[in-house]
Amino acid sequence: MDHILDFEKPVSEIEDKICELKAASKGQDIDISKEIEALQKKADRMIREIYSSLTPWERVQLSRHPARPHAVDFIKALIGDFHEVHGDRRFQDDRAMICGFGRMGDFPVAVVAIEKGRNTKEKITHNFGMPNPEGYRKALRVMELAARFSIPIISFVDTPGAYPGIEAEKRGQSQAIAENLQEMFGLKTPIVAVIIGEGGSGGALGVAVADRAYMMEYSIYSVISPESCASILWADPKRAKEAANSLKLGPLKAYEWGVIDGIIPEPLGGAHKNPEESFRVVEEYLKKSLESLKKIDGELLLQKRFEKFRNMGRAALSEDTD
């Protein structure tokens, strides 16, 4: 692993020793399998201890891990016969927002996904996962077409937030997101959203008004990024760690407050440790949700979706009252 987070370093050191022992034993007439097994058990135990008590800031770091599976990885792994749709028919194609149609098993599906890019060239192409207004308009165009043909919608969310640049604002960034929020409440087709990394502000919510919303175990979903929060509260983005702790970032609170409908477990050490297992579990959650939602009548589906969002945060309000 090229990128090791600070809290992962103790485990990384043990894993390095395991690799060294395995390399040293090759071609040698010695059996050190017991030593390797003991070290592996120690590493696994240490991982469980570390990951069972992560701070909100450590969760933020994990959600941004460079090796974490991106939206394009989920599409490639889970969506067969995927055909991408380009452009918003107004300005241009936004590569931060990947949209199209394909199949998940027996389900024809529409996909809207926010992609960050992995290397420097990809990050620039995908604008670091910060969509412009044309990205949200493209997503809405695909979602409305899906609803017309009763095709379920899957949304993969991974963004620090919508692009805040002057040009984006000139082209109607806030209006584009607001229109998505309004129109998604009227789409008579199942919508399932998965926060696979970061879910930042309205940039995430603009494609996450869903009947079922899930967060992966080490993802975050917040009204604002820690850096932006620190800039507003203390005029110092370097206090992002403090802001993350204050925001109580992580899926548990989001689930308790009704913001999401479930937490998708990740492999030991995070999705980047075993992407294939992560894809399998996410697919399982998606298929179960689609099977359940397709049985609900369109009008009832809209009613339940509206009620779900109206009830969000009631648990949080009762906590404050108590």
Side-chain angles (χ1 to χ4, degrees):
M1 192 69 66
D2 293 330
H3 188 94
I4 305 297
L5 300 174
D6 287 341
F7 61 88
E8 292 180 313
K9 286 179 180 178
V11 177
S12 178
E13 291 172 1
I14 296 175
E15 290 176 339
D16 288 343
K17 290 180 182 178
I18 293 172
C19 291
E20 289 172 7
L21 286 174
K22 287 180 178 179
S25 65
K26 282 185 179 179
Q28 303 293 324
D29 191 20
I30 53 174
D31 183 12
I32 55 173
S33 58
K34 289 184 178 179
E35 288 82 355
I36 293 174
E37 184 180 350
L39 282 174
Q40 189 62 60
K41 286 182 178 179
K42 182 179 180 180
D44 291 344
R45 183 172 62 253
M46 191 176 292
I47 290 174
R48 289 190 181 92
E49 290 173 357
I50 292 171
Y51 280 77
S52 64
S53 57
L54 291 173
T55 66
W57 179 242
E58 287 170 341
R59 287 184 176 276
V60 171
Q61 292 177 292
L62 268 179
S63 74
R64 298 170 175 175
H65 199 291
R68 191 173 180 84
H70 284 202
V72 291
D73 301 315
F74 280 92
I75 292 172
K76 185 177 180 181
L78 305 183
I79 310 299
D81 196 28
F82 181 69
H83 293 272
E84 190 174 351
V85 173
H86 297 276
D88 67 339
R89 292 182 175 173
R90 292 192 193 182
F91 183 69
Q92 66 180 8
D93 186 39
D94 184 359
R95 297 301 298 148
M97 189 77 71
I98 297 176
C99 306
F101 295 87
R103 301 189 69 86
M104 174 177 280
D106 297 330
F107 292 102
V109 294
V111 177
V112 296
I114 304 176
E115 171 60 30
K116 287 182 173 180
R118 200 172 294 283
N119 55 43
T120 302
K121 183 178 178 181
E122 289 178 356
K123 287 178 180 178
I124 293 172
T125 297
H126 297 288
N127 200 32
F128 297 84
M130 295 184 288
N132 280 281
E134 48 270 18
Y136 292 101
R137 293 182 183 119
K138 175 171 65 171
L140 183 58
R141 180 161 78 93
V142 168
M143 290 189 289
E144 287 178 334
L145 183 60
R148 195 176 305 164
F149 293 97
S150 300
I151 297 174
I153 299 164
I154 295 174
S155 177
F156 294 112
V157 181
D158 188 13
T159 177
Y163 185 58
I166 293 175
E167 292 302 317
E169 296 298 335
K170 285 181 178 179
R171 297 196 299 274
Q173 182 71 289
S174 58
Q175 180 181 355
I177 294 173
E179 286 178 352
N180 275 33
L181 300 182
Q182 176 179 305
E183 297 302 323
M184 289 181 77
F185 277 107
L187 297 178
K188 293 183 182 180
T189 193
I191 306 174
V192 183
V194 182
I195 315 300
I196 60 175
E198 286 188 271
S201 190
L205 191 58
V207 290
V209 177
D211 304 293
R212 299 284 186 275
Y214 299 103
M215 287 178 66
M216 295 190 70
E217 188 175 359
Y218 302 120
S219 66
I220 60 172
Y221 193 21
S222 173
V223 69
I224 194 171
S225 70
E227 290 82 1
S228 296
C229 179
S231 296
I232 292 172
L233 293 181
W234 306 298
D236 185 3
K238 293 181 180 179
R239 295 177 68 176
K241 180 178 179 179
E242 185 178 346
N245 294 332
S246 298
L247 288 167
K248 301 179 181 179
L249 295 180
L252 189 57
K253 278 296 179 184
Y255 180 68
E256 290 177 359
W257 294 342
V259 175
I260 59 171
D261 301 284
I263 302 169
I264 300 178
E266 295 188 27
L268 188 64
H272 59 286
K273 293 287 188 179
N274 191 342
E276 289 75 20
E277 175 64 14
S278 299
F279 298 147
R280 186 193 66 78
V281 177
V282 169
E283 182 178 31
E284 184 179 309
Y285 271 74
L286 288 173
K287 285 184 175 179
K288 284 183 179 179
S289 295
L290 293 177
E291 287 173 357
S292 171
L293 292 169
K294 73 175 184 179
K295 299 174 184 177
I296 303 176
D297 174 74
E299 289 296 336
L300 181 58
L301 190 72
L302 297 186
Q303 181 182 333
K304 287 178 173 290
R305 189 182 303 162
F306 182 78
E307 290 174 353
K308 172 189 168 182
F309 277 79
R310 288 287 292 177
N311 290 328
M312 279 185 185
R314 288 192 175 182
L317 289 173
S318 64
E319 282 184 16
D320 292 338
T321 303
D322 294 341

